[in-house]
Amino acid sequence: ETELAQLASQVLERVDRHWNQIQENIADSLLRTYNTSWADPDGGFPELTRDEFLAKITLAQVQLMEEDAITLYFGDSDIFGGHVVDVFWTVEKMYPATLVG
């Protein structure tokens, strides 16, 4: 249990250290998609600024895939119809955010 707790703590510290980079990734990957394909001002889903968009994306789960790879899952406040935003991240690279589900 101690080893698992230490590993979880290391992963969360890594997420915290790179939080700005994670948010930039999500906005760069999905903000345009939202504004061009999902926004519906008449239906109550206006186009969003970068800050407004990021305020709606909330970290829901951190999953350790392997010792050197994690997936971050984010709630979307229903702006993507309840899809989940995910970011897959290895030691070498953070991949662009995608929609799943």
Side-chain angles (χ1 to χ4, degrees):
E1 283 185 33
T2 303
E3 186 177 324
L4 182 59
Q6 289 174 343
L7 183 57
S9 179
Q10 290 170 355
V11 169
L12 293 175
E13 286 174 16
R14 181 178 172 200
V15 169
D16 190 49
R17 276 194 320 273
H18 296 280
W19 188 249
N20 289 338
Q21 181 184 358
I22 293 165
Q23 288 193 307
E24 290 296 315
N25 177 348
I26 293 168
D28 290 346
S29 300
L30 297 173
L31 176 58
R32 183 172 181 208
T33 299
Y34 170 77
N35 281 333
T36 61
S37 300
W38 291 82
D40 178 11
D42 294 334
F45 293 93
E47 288 189 14
L48 300 173
T49 66
R50 191 176 197 87
D51 288 340
E52 291 168 335
F53 177 78
L54 288 172
K56 294 190 176 289
I57 305 298
T58 57
L59 183 62
Q61 183 179 6
V62 177
Q63 183 177 22
L64 182 62
M65 305 299 290
E66 301 169 10
E67 192 166 320
D68 61 349
I70 59 175
T71 301
L72 307 174
Y73 295 100
F74 296 82
D76 73 341
S77 300
D78 208 34
I79 63 172
F80 289 114
H83 288 27
V84 173
V85 173
D86 88 337
V87 175
F88 181 70
W89 188 13
T90 67
V91 171
E92 295 86 27
K93 179 178 179 178
M94 184 183 300
Y95 291 84
T98 60
L99 295 175
V100 295

XYZ file of all heavy atoms in Angstrom:
811
model
N 0.815 -1.204 0.000
C 0.000 0.000 0.000
C 0.852 1.259 0.000
O 0.501 2.224 -0.666
C -0.925 0.011 1.215
C -2.117 -0.891 1.069
C -3.068 -0.754 2.239
O -3.190 0.349 2.799
O -3.681 -1.778 2.579
N 1.945 1.231 0.722
C 2.809 2.405 0.796
C 3.364 2.744 -0.579
O 3.388 3.910 -0.975
C 3.959 2.170 1.795
O 3.404 1.854 3.060
C 4.843 3.388 1.905
N 3.789 1.724 -1.323
C 4.328 1.949 -2.671
C 3.260 2.539 -3.597
O 3.535 3.449 -4.364
C 4.866 0.640 -3.246
C 5.562 0.809 -4.565
C 6.158 -0.496 -5.072
O 6.644 -1.295 -4.249
O 6.120 -0.696 -6.290
N 2.050 2.020 -3.507
C 0.952 2.525 -4.332
C 0.631 3.982 -3.971
O 0.423 4.810 -4.853
C -0.287 1.645 -4.160
C -1.498 2.015 -5.003
C -1.165 1.986 -6.487
C -2.646 1.062 -4.703
N 0.615 4.290 -2.698
C 0.344 5.662 -2.258
C 1.438 6.610 -2.748
O 1.149 7.736 -3.168
C 0.222 5.716 -0.740
N 2.674 6.169 -2.713
C 3.778 6.997 -3.198
C 3.663 7.232 -4.701
O 3.884 8.345 -5.178
C 5.120 6.352 -2.866
C 5.465 6.391 -1.406
C 6.742 5.618 -1.084
O 7.213 4.805 -1.869
N 7.287 5.878 0.093
N 3.307 6.190 -5.437
C 3.138 6.320 -6.876
C 1.998 7.286 -7.203
O 2.134 8.156 -8.062
C 2.877 4.953 -7.509
C 2.754 4.904 -9.023
C 3.987 5.470 -9.699
C 2.504 3.472 -9.473
N 0.887 7.164 -6.501
C -0.249 8.066 -6.713
C 0.158 9.502 -6.412
O -0.190 10.427 -7.158
C -1.424 7.641 -5.844
N 0.891 9.707 -5.362
C 1.346 11.043 -4.994
C 2.260 11.624 -6.067
O 2.133 12.801 -6.432
C 2.078 10.986 -3.655
O 2.549 12.253 -3.296
N 3.143 10.809 -6.623
C 4.048 11.267 -7.678
C 3.269 11.671 -8.928
O 3.573 12.681 -9.562
C 5.066 10.177 -8.023
C 6.085 9.937 -6.948
C 6.931 8.697 -7.217
O 6.710 7.949 -8.166
N 7.916 8.466 -6.353
N 2.278 10.876 -9.285
C 1.468 11.178 -10.466
C 0.708 12.487 -10.266
O 0.690 13.350 -11.144
C 0.502 10.020 -10.803
C -0.520 10.437 -11.840
C 1.281 8.797 -11.266
N 0.100 12.661 -9.108
C -0.643 13.894 -8.839
C 0.276 15.117 -8.794
O -0.102 16.191 -9.255
C -1.442 13.756 -7.548
C -2.581 12.748 -7.613
C -3.245 12.599 -6.253
C -3.597 13.119 -8.681
N 1.473 14.942 -8.281
C 2.442 16.041 -8.285
C 2.827 16.402 -9.716
O 2.953 17.582 -10.051
C 3.686 15.659 -7.482
C 3.472 15.651 -5.995
C 4.681 15.134 -5.220
O 5.793 15.066 -5.788
O 4.508 14.784 -4.038
N 2.990 15.385 -10.569
C 3.309 15.623 -11.981
C 2.180 16.403 -12.656
O 2.419 17.346 -13.405
C 3.548 14.284 -12.677
C 3.905 14.392 -14.129
C 4.174 13.021 -14.706
N 4.327 13.093 -16.136
C 4.198 12.075 -16.946
N 3.921 10.867 -16.462
N 4.354 12.210 -18.237
N 0.951 16.006 -12.400
C -0.208 16.712 -12.966
C -0.211 18.160 -12.482
O -0.392 19.090 -13.274
C -1.529 15.991 -12.600
C -2.735 16.851 -12.941
C -1.609 14.632 -13.293
N 0.008 18.361 -11.212
C 0.010 19.715 -10.646
C 1.109 20.577 -11.261
O 0.866 21.732 -11.626
C 0.170 19.634 -9.126
C -0.056 20.967 -8.459
O -1.076 21.624 -8.756
O 0.805 21.362 -7.639
N 2.307 20.024 -11.413
C 3.434 20.777 -11.983
C 3.175 21.207 -13.425
O 3.653 22.227 -13.875
C 4.712 19.932 -11.955
C 5.477 19.960 -10.674
C 6.879 19.380 -10.829
N 6.983 18.199 -11.664
C 6.825 16.937 -11.255
N 6.541 16.681 -10.005
N 6.972 15.931 -12.101
N 2.418 20.388 -14.155
C 2.199 20.626 -15.581
C 0.770 21.093 -15.889
O 0.325 21.018 -17.032
C 2.513 19.353 -16.371
C 3.949 18.953 -16.276
N 4.929 19.541 -17.033
C 4.570 18.035 -15.495
C 6.100 19.000 -16.731
N 5.902 18.083 -15.797
N 0.062 21.585 -14.879
C -1.347 21.944 -15.056
C -1.553 22.960 -16.179
O -2.469 22.821 -16.991
C -1.942 22.443 -13.746
C -3.417 22.627 -13.849
C -4.105 23.815 -13.833
C -4.395 21.605 -14.037
N -5.444 23.582 -13.985
C -5.649 22.222 -14.109
C -4.325 20.212 -14.144
C -6.837 21.515 -14.285
C -5.502 19.505 -14.320
C -6.741 20.150 -14.386
N -0.718 23.981 -16.261
C -0.868 24.978 -17.327
C -0.697 24.338 -18.699
O -1.436 24.651 -19.635
C 0.108 26.135 -17.143
C -0.270 27.017 -15.976
O -1.415 27.046 -15.535
N 0.708 27.729 -15.437
N 0.269 23.453 -18.837
C 0.496 22.756 -20.104
C -0.702 21.863 -20.452
O -1.114 21.788 -21.607
C 1.772 21.917 -20.020
C 2.100 21.185 -21.293
C 3.319 20.279 -21.148
O 3.957 20.217 -20.102
N 3.635 19.569 -22.213
N -1.275 21.213 -19.467
C -2.453 20.361 -19.683
C -3.622 21.213 -20.175
O -4.298 20.861 -21.150
C -2.823 19.609 -18.382
C -1.728 18.603 -18.040
C -4.184 18.934 -18.513
C -1.794 18.078 -16.611
N -3.853 22.341 -19.526
C -4.946 23.219 -19.944
C -4.715 23.774 -21.341
O -5.651 23.866 -22.135
C -5.153 24.346 -18.937
C -5.776 23.873 -17.653
C -6.259 25.025 -16.811
O -5.507 25.940 -16.522
N -7.520 24.980 -16.452
N -3.496 24.156 -21.651
C -3.176 24.643 -23.002
C -3.460 23.555 -24.033
O -4.017 23.829 -25.095
C -1.714 25.087 -23.083
C -1.408 26.348 -22.311
C -2.142 27.565 -22.844
O -2.168 27.765 -24.077
O -2.701 28.317 -22.035
N -3.087 22.343 -23.717
C -3.334 21.206 -24.608
C -4.831 21.067 -24.884
O -5.253 20.943 -26.037
C -2.767 19.936 -23.981
C -3.030 18.680 -24.788
O -3.813 18.644 -25.735
N -2.393 17.611 -24.395
N -5.626 21.083 -23.844
C -7.077 20.913 -23.998
C -7.664 22.048 -24.839
O -8.431 21.809 -25.774
C -7.763 20.815 -22.620
C -7.336 19.522 -21.929
C -9.285 20.882 -22.769
C -7.721 19.448 -20.468
N -7.299 23.274 -24.513
C -7.836 24.418 -25.265
C -7.362 24.387 -26.720
O -8.166 24.596 -27.637
C -7.434 25.726 -24.592
N -6.083 24.120 -26.937
C -5.555 24.074 -28.300
C -6.200 22.955 -29.113
O -6.424 23.095 -30.313
C -4.038 23.884 -28.298
C -3.284 25.101 -27.796
O -3.879 26.199 -27.692
O -2.077 24.952 -27.500
N -6.492 21.842 -28.463
C -7.039 20.674 -29.155
C -8.539 20.769 -29.405
O -9.027 20.272 -30.423
C -6.762 19.404 -28.349
O -5.380 19.188 -28.169
N -9.295 21.396 -28.483
C -10.752 21.250 -28.541
C -11.582 22.535 -28.567
O -12.773 22.470 -28.878
C -11.222 20.373 -27.374
C -10.694 18.946 -27.394
C -11.088 18.217 -26.115
C -11.210 18.202 -28.614
N -11.003 23.680 -28.256
C -11.806 24.908 -28.229
C -12.377 25.222 -29.607
O -13.576 25.515 -29.738
C -10.992 26.089 -27.709
C -11.699 27.450 -27.736
C -12.994 27.425 -26.928
C -10.760 28.543 -27.243
N -11.578 25.152 -30.628
C -12.081 25.443 -31.978
C -13.174 24.443 -32.365
O -14.185 24.815 -32.963
C -10.938 25.408 -32.982
C -11.396 25.760 -34.368
C -10.253 25.923 -35.318
N -10.798 26.293 -36.615
C -10.235 26.020 -37.756
N -9.072 25.407 -37.776
N -10.794 26.374 -38.883
N -12.974 23.178 -32.034
C -13.988 22.154 -32.322
C -15.303 22.515 -31.651
O -16.368 22.416 -32.268
C -13.518 20.765 -31.849
O -12.320 20.430 -32.554
C -14.570 19.701 -32.073
N -15.230 22.935 -30.390
C -16.462 23.325 -29.704
C -17.128 24.501 -30.422
O -18.313 24.457 -30.742
C -16.215 23.683 -28.230
C -17.453 24.297 -27.637
C -18.529 23.496 -27.283
C -17.589 25.678 -27.526
C -19.717 24.056 -26.819
C -18.768 26.242 -27.064
C -19.823 25.421 -26.713
O -20.991 25.974 -26.275
N -16.359 25.567 -30.646
C -16.950 26.788 -31.203
C -17.472 26.614 -32.627
O -18.444 27.264 -33.004
C -15.952 27.944 -31.139
C -15.883 28.555 -29.750
O -16.844 28.504 -28.979
N -14.736 29.120 -29.424
N -16.873 25.730 -33.414
C -17.312 25.567 -34.804
C -18.334 24.456 -34.991
O -19.108 24.494 -35.946
C -16.120 25.317 -35.751
O -15.449 24.121 -35.368
C -15.174 26.492 -35.761
N -18.351 23.473 -34.090
C -19.226 22.316 -34.315
C -20.263 22.069 -33.220
O -21.292 21.459 -33.487
C -18.380 21.045 -34.468
O -17.505 21.165 -35.566
N -20.001 22.494 -32.005
C -20.887 22.171 -30.888
C -21.651 23.369 -30.352
O -22.725 23.206 -29.765
C -20.094 21.517 -29.757
C -19.600 20.151 -30.096
C -18.479 19.834 -30.809
C -20.203 18.905 -29.753
N -18.359 18.480 -30.914
C -19.406 17.877 -30.274
C -21.350 18.577 -29.045
C -19.712 16.546 -30.116
C -21.651 17.238 -28.875
C -20.831 16.232 -29.414
N -21.087 24.562 -30.500
C -21.759 25.760 -29.988
C -23.094 25.949 -30.704
O -23.212 25.726 -31.901
C -20.880 26.993 -30.184
N -24.102 26.328 -29.919
C -25.446 26.576 -30.447
C -26.063 27.701 -29.612
O -26.780 27.440 -28.642
C -26.281 25.306 -30.365
C -27.714 25.493 -30.840
O -28.033 26.547 -31.436
O -28.525 24.575 -30.610
N -25.755 28.950 -29.968
C -26.243 30.078 -29.157
C -27.754 30.069 -28.940
O -28.231 30.412 -27.858
C -25.799 31.308 -29.950
C -24.612 30.838 -30.737
C -24.926 29.397 -31.081
N -28.507 29.662 -29.941
C -29.966 29.615 -29.790
C -30.408 28.523 -28.825
O -31.488 28.597 -28.247
C -30.644 29.413 -31.148
C -30.433 30.599 -32.075
O -30.225 31.728 -31.572
O -30.452 30.392 -33.300
N -29.581 27.506 -28.659
C -29.892 26.394 -27.754
C -29.268 26.544 -26.383
O -29.280 25.605 -25.581
N -28.651 27.706 -26.110
C -28.067 27.939 -24.794
C -26.602 27.553 -24.689
O -26.057 27.482 -23.593
N -25.952 27.284 -25.816
C -24.538 26.929 -25.817
C -23.765 27.930 -26.674
O -23.457 27.666 -27.833
C -24.336 25.500 -26.352
C -24.899 24.452 -25.454
C -26.193 23.974 -25.643
C -24.154 23.944 -24.407
C -26.722 23.012 -24.802
C -24.674 22.981 -23.555
C -25.959 22.513 -23.754
N -23.457 29.109 -26.107
C -22.779 30.147 -26.882
C -21.332 29.759 -27.189
O -20.761 28.883 -26.531
C -22.812 31.360 -25.950
C -22.837 30.763 -24.579
C -23.645 29.494 -24.714
N -20.753 30.435 -28.183
C -19.324 30.280 -28.403
C -18.607 30.743 -27.140
O -19.096 31.632 -26.432
C -18.876 31.093 -29.612
C -19.353 30.502 -30.919
C -18.739 31.171 -32.135
O -17.746 31.928 -31.992
O -19.247 30.931 -33.234
N -17.473 30.132 -26.860
C -16.759 30.410 -25.616
C -15.372 30.968 -25.877
O -14.718 30.602 -26.859
C -16.618 29.121 -24.797
C -17.906 28.430 -24.371
C -17.597 27.083 -23.726
C -18.711 29.311 -23.423
N -14.928 31.837 -24.979
C -13.532 32.270 -24.991
C -12.697 31.139 -24.410
O -13.230 30.176 -23.835
C -13.333 33.530 -24.130
O -13.577 33.189 -22.753
C -14.244 34.664 -24.578
N -11.414 31.265 -24.523
C -10.490 30.252 -23.974
C -10.737 30.062 -22.468
O -10.844 28.944 -21.994
C -9.061 30.679 -24.269
C -8.019 29.649 -23.998
C -6.647 30.207 -24.439
N -5.684 29.162 -24.566
C -5.475 28.418 -25.640
N -6.187 28.612 -26.722
N -4.559 27.473 -25.652
N -10.809 31.151 -21.731
C -11.009 31.052 -20.277
C -12.374 30.452 -19.930
O -12.474 29.640 -19.005
C -10.858 32.421 -19.616
C -9.410 32.902 -19.585
O -8.480 32.067 -19.708
O -9.197 34.125 -19.441
N -13.417 30.861 -20.644
C -14.753 30.307 -20.402
C -14.767 28.804 -20.688
O -15.355 28.025 -19.934
C -15.791 31.000 -21.281
C -16.059 32.436 -20.908
C -16.873 33.176 -21.957
O -16.851 32.793 -23.147
O -17.534 34.169 -21.570
N -14.117 28.416 -21.769
C -14.042 27.009 -22.148
C -13.330 26.192 -21.067
O -13.840 25.175 -20.603
C -13.314 26.887 -23.495
C -13.099 25.476 -23.957
C -14.133 24.750 -24.526
C -11.852 24.879 -23.849
C -13.936 23.450 -24.970
C -11.645 23.592 -24.290
C -12.689 22.869 -24.848
N -12.166 26.658 -20.648
C -11.391 25.912 -19.650
C -12.113 25.837 -18.304
O -11.947 24.862 -17.572
C -9.998 26.523 -19.495
C -9.069 26.274 -20.681
C -7.782 27.066 -20.531
C -8.785 24.785 -20.851
N -12.931 26.825 -17.991
C -13.690 26.792 -16.737
C -14.729 25.671 -16.742
O -15.143 25.197 -15.684
C -14.372 28.137 -16.495
N -15.135 25.221 -17.918
C -16.141 24.170 -18.032
C -15.528 22.766 -18.064
O -16.234 21.777 -17.947
C -16.988 24.388 -19.279
C -17.833 25.656 -19.169
C -18.824 25.755 -20.265
C -19.719 26.950 -20.090
N -20.670 26.839 -19.007
N -14.219 22.686 -18.238
C -13.531 21.404 -18.323
C -12.909 21.115 -16.958
O -12.027 21.840 -16.501
C -12.444 21.443 -19.417
C -13.022 21.877 -20.763
C -11.725 20.110 -19.521
C -14.079 20.961 -21.339
N -13.365 20.054 -16.291
C -12.913 19.770 -14.934
C -12.328 18.366 -14.833
O -12.879 17.401 -15.372
C -14.072 19.906 -13.932
O -15.131 19.028 -14.328
C -14.592 21.333 -13.887
N -11.207 18.264 -14.149
C -10.543 16.972 -13.967
C -11.445 16.042 -13.169
O -11.919 16.385 -12.089
C -9.207 17.153 -13.246
C -8.382 15.886 -13.053
C -7.990 15.256 -14.388
C -7.135 16.199 -12.228
N -11.698 14.860 -13.723
C -12.575 13.895 -13.070
C -11.819 12.660 -12.590
O -12.162 12.083 -11.564
C -13.689 13.467 -14.032
N -10.787 12.259 -13.336
C -10.107 11.010 -12.998
C -8.692 11.020 -13.557
O -8.449 11.530 -14.651
C -10.880 9.829 -13.580
C -10.326 8.485 -13.239
C -11.171 7.352 -13.836
O -12.101 7.579 -14.596
N -10.836 6.138 -13.491
N -7.782 10.431 -12.811
C -6.418 10.211 -13.256
C -6.202 8.707 -13.240
O -6.400 8.064 -12.210
C -5.391 10.901 -12.327
C -3.970 10.601 -12.772
C -5.654 12.401 -12.262
N -5.815 8.158 -14.382
C -5.627 6.712 -14.479
C -4.183 6.421 -14.865
O -3.699 6.897 -15.892
C -6.570 6.125 -15.520
C -6.488 4.633 -15.631
C -7.488 4.088 -16.635
O -7.954 4.796 -17.526
N -7.817 2.829 -16.487
N -3.515 5.651 -14.035
C -2.160 5.224 -14.324
C -2.241 4.017 -15.245
O -2.777 2.972 -14.869
C -1.423 4.865 -13.027
C 0.022 4.443 -13.163
C 0.862 5.578 -13.745
C 0.571 4.029 -11.810
N -1.778 4.194 -16.483
C -1.871 3.131 -17.475
C -0.700 2.161 -17.343
O -0.854 0.972 -17.425
C -1.889 3.726 -18.889
C -2.990 4.756 -19.111
S -4.637 4.099 -18.904
C -4.740 3.060 -20.334
N 0.451 2.709 -17.192
C 1.689 1.978 -16.980
C 2.507 2.852 -16.050
O 2.097 3.959 -15.722
C 2.437 1.766 -18.305
C 1.640 1.012 -19.350
C 2.301 1.069 -20.724
O 3.457 1.523 -20.820
O 1.654 0.669 -21.688
N 3.666 2.405 -15.693
C 4.464 3.215 -14.783
C 4.832 4.567 -15.399
O 4.999 5.550 -14.698
C 5.744 2.470 -14.380
C 6.460 3.138 -13.233
C 7.520 2.265 -12.617
O 7.293 1.057 -12.469
O 8.578 2.823 -12.288
N 4.921 4.620 -16.724
C 5.340 5.860 -17.367
C 4.263 6.494 -18.242
O 4.554 7.338 -19.080
C 6.600 5.617 -18.199
C 6.380 4.598 -19.313
O 5.330 3.932 -19.317
O 7.257 4.477 -20.180
N 2.985 6.095 -18.080
C 1.912 6.656 -18.896
C 0.647 6.819 -18.056
O 0.274 5.928 -17.304
C 1.625 5.750 -20.082
N 0.017 7.968 -18.219
C -1.230 8.226 -17.508
C -2.267 8.769 -18.488
O -1.921 9.317 -19.540
C -1.055 9.214 -16.330
C -0.518 10.565 -16.809
C -0.185 8.634 -15.257
C -0.427 11.614 -15.720
N -3.522 8.603 -18.145
C -4.608 9.222 -18.879
C -5.383 10.087 -17.904
O -5.725 9.643 -16.804
C -5.545 8.177 -19.515
O -4.786 7.354 -20.393
C -6.655 8.856 -20.303
N -5.622 11.317 -18.307
C -6.416 12.250 -17.519
C -7.786 12.340 -18.166
O -7.887 12.541 -19.385
C -5.760 13.632 -17.507
C -4.297 13.688 -17.079
C -3.752 15.091 -17.266
C -4.143 13.233 -15.648
N -8.823 12.181 -17.378
C -10.199 12.280 -17.871
C -10.854 13.518 -17.270
O -10.734 13.758 -16.063
C -11.004 11.038 -17.489
C -10.509 9.784 -18.150
C -9.695 8.889 -17.467
C -10.844 9.476 -19.470
C -9.231 7.727 -18.076
C -10.394 8.327 -20.085
C -9.585 7.455 -19.375
O -9.125 6.310 -19.991
N -11.539 14.277 -18.107
C -12.161 15.526 -17.696
C -13.638 15.519 -18.025
O -14.035 15.077 -19.113
C -11.517 16.708 -18.441
C -10.065 16.915 -18.119
C -9.086 16.158 -18.747
C -9.678 17.858 -17.186
C -7.745 16.343 -18.462
C -8.339 18.051 -16.887
C -7.373 17.293 -17.525
N -14.448 16.047 -17.108
C -15.848 16.298 -17.391
C -15.961 17.509 -18.294
O -15.081 18.373 -18.311
N -17.068 17.586 -19.049
C -17.211 18.658 -20.032
C -18.350 19.629 -19.733
O -18.683 20.461 -20.576
C -17.395 18.067 -21.426
C -18.766 17.449 -21.625
O -19.447 17.140 -20.627
O -19.164 17.278 -22.790
N -18.966 19.540 -18.563
C -20.111 20.389 -18.213
C -21.187 20.340 -19.290
O -21.901 21.297 -19.515
C -19.671 21.846 -17.976
O -18.731 21.931 -16.932
N -21.237 19.239 -19.997
C -22.224 18.954 -21.039
C -22.068 19.788 -22.308
O -22.944 19.798 -23.158
C -23.646 19.067 -20.492
C -24.615 18.168 -21.242
O -24.197 17.071 -21.680
O -25.776 18.561 -21.419
N -20.947 20.487 -22.479
C -20.777 21.271 -23.705
C -20.486 20.385 -24.915
O -20.707 20.800 -26.050
C -19.708 22.377 -23.566
C -18.322 21.793 -23.298
C -20.127 23.387 -22.510
C -17.199 22.824 -23.340
N -19.997 19.190 -24.682
C -19.783 18.208 -25.747
C -20.788 17.071 -25.615
O -20.473 15.914 -25.904
C -18.360 17.656 -25.718
C -17.304 18.635 -26.145
C -16.351 19.090 -25.245
C -17.238 19.106 -27.447
C -15.362 19.978 -25.625
C -16.252 20.001 -27.847
C -15.315 20.444 -26.935
N -21.974 17.387 -25.163
C -23.021 16.379 -25.067
C -22.708 15.268 -24.082
O -23.166 14.141 -24.249
N -21.916 15.563 -23.071
C -21.591 14.563 -22.061
C -20.406 13.687 -22.399
O -20.084 12.758 -21.660
N -19.732 13.954 -23.519
C -18.523 13.198 -23.834
C -17.465 13.516 -22.792
O -17.528 14.539 -22.108
C -17.994 13.562 -25.212
C -18.815 13.042 -26.348
N -20.157 12.773 -26.267
C -18.477 12.741 -27.618
C -20.604 12.335 -27.426
N -19.595 12.311 -28.267
N -16.491 12.670 -22.700
C -15.378 12.865 -21.779
C -14.193 13.372 -22.583
O -13.935 12.912 -23.694
C -15.034 11.538 -21.071
C -13.783 11.659 -20.236
C -16.205 11.065 -20.225
N -13.478 14.319 -22.022
C -12.230 14.800 -22.613
C -11.111 13.979 -21.995
O -11.075 13.803 -20.776
C -12.028 16.302 -22.315
C -10.663 16.779 -22.773
C -13.154 17.134 -22.937
N -10.228 13.454 -22.846
C -9.095 12.724 -22.266
C -7.780 13.215 -22.834
O -7.703 13.714 -23.953
C -9.258 11.212 -22.400
C -8.725 10.614 -23.676
O -8.601 11.334 -24.675
O -8.426 9.412 -23.679
N -6.766 13.119 -21.992
C -5.401 13.467 -22.369
C -4.533 12.274 -21.997
O -4.454 11.901 -20.822
C -4.903 14.732 -21.632
C -3.435 14.996 -21.946
C -5.765 15.936 -21.975
N -3.905 11.672 -22.997
C -2.967 10.568 -22.765
C -1.570 11.163 -22.729
O -1.191 11.961 -23.581
C -3.090 9.519 -23.875
C -2.169 8.347 -23.676
C -2.393 7.441 -22.652
C -1.081 8.159 -24.517
C -1.539 6.366 -22.459
C -0.222 7.089 -24.335
C -0.458 6.188 -23.303
N -0.804 10.743 -21.714
C 0.473 11.398 -21.445
C 1.498 10.359 -21.046
O 1.321 9.646 -20.048
C 0.222 12.377 -20.323
C 1.297 13.320 -19.947
C 2.444 13.619 -20.614
C 1.300 14.117 -18.774
N 3.149 14.558 -19.927
C 2.467 14.886 -18.803
C 0.425 14.272 -17.714
C 2.796 15.792 -17.798
C 0.743 15.166 -16.716
C 1.914 15.924 -16.755
N 2.563 10.259 -21.825
C 3.669 9.374 -21.472
C 4.829 10.225 -20.975
O 4.775 11.454 -21.012
C 4.141 8.541 -22.687
O 4.720 9.424 -23.661
C 3.010 7.741 -23.299
N 5.892 9.588 -20.563
C 7.074 10.315 -20.120
C 7.609 11.179 -21.261
O 8.067 12.293 -21.045
C 8.156 9.335 -19.620
C 9.461 10.052 -19.353
C 7.677 8.616 -18.378
N 7.517 10.678 -22.486
C 8.069 11.379 -23.628
C 7.173 12.461 -24.203
O 7.646 13.429 -24.779
C 8.402 10.395 -24.773
C 9.483 9.410 -24.463
C 8.935 8.164 -23.765
O 7.758 7.834 -23.970
O 9.690 7.541 -23.003
N 5.837 12.291 -24.110
C 4.958 13.162 -24.870
C 3.571 13.254 -24.244
O 3.035 12.258 -23.771
C 4.833 12.604 -26.291
C 3.945 13.376 -27.204
C 3.927 12.755 -28.599
C 3.011 13.516 -29.509
N 3.001 12.970 -30.853
N 2.991 14.454 -24.319
C 1.585 14.636 -23.989
C 0.840 14.718 -25.317
O 1.103 15.597 -26.131
C 1.358 15.914 -23.182
C -0.095 16.096 -22.740
S -0.384 17.662 -21.860
C 0.715 17.502 -20.461
N -0.076 13.785 -25.549
C -0.798 13.738 -26.799
C -1.955 14.728 -26.786
O -2.465 15.082 -25.715
C -1.315 12.308 -27.043
C -0.178 11.347 -27.316
C 0.524 10.759 -26.270
C 0.213 11.073 -28.613
C 1.586 9.909 -26.517
C 1.272 10.214 -28.875
C 1.961 9.643 -27.814
O 3.018 8.793 -28.065
N -2.402 15.177 -27.961
C -3.513 16.120 -28.007
C -4.765 15.562 -27.319
O -5.052 14.358 -27.400
C -3.775 16.309 -29.515
C -2.451 15.992 -30.150
C -1.871 14.889 -29.298
N -5.495 16.427 -26.660
C -6.748 16.049 -25.996
C -7.743 15.576 -27.033
O -7.786 16.086 -28.149
C -7.304 17.234 -25.225
N -8.556 14.591 -26.651
C -9.587 14.054 -27.542
C -10.888 13.908 -26.780
O -10.928 13.949 -25.553
C -9.181 12.679 -28.107
O -9.000 11.761 -27.020
C -7.906 12.756 -28.921
N -11.958 13.710 -27.543
C -13.274 13.403 -26.969
C -13.481 11.901 -27.046
O -13.194 11.285 -28.062
C -14.391 14.091 -27.762
C -14.409 15.604 -27.728
C -15.488 16.140 -28.645
C -14.610 16.102 -26.307
N -13.992 11.325 -25.964
C -14.318 9.894 -25.941
C -15.719 9.714 -25.375
O -16.225 10.563 -24.660
C -13.295 9.066 -25.135
C -11.935 9.107 -25.786
C -13.195 9.545 -23.701
N -16.302 8.578 -25.678
C -17.601 8.237 -25.113
C -18.773 8.695 -25.886
O -18.984 9.570 -26.553
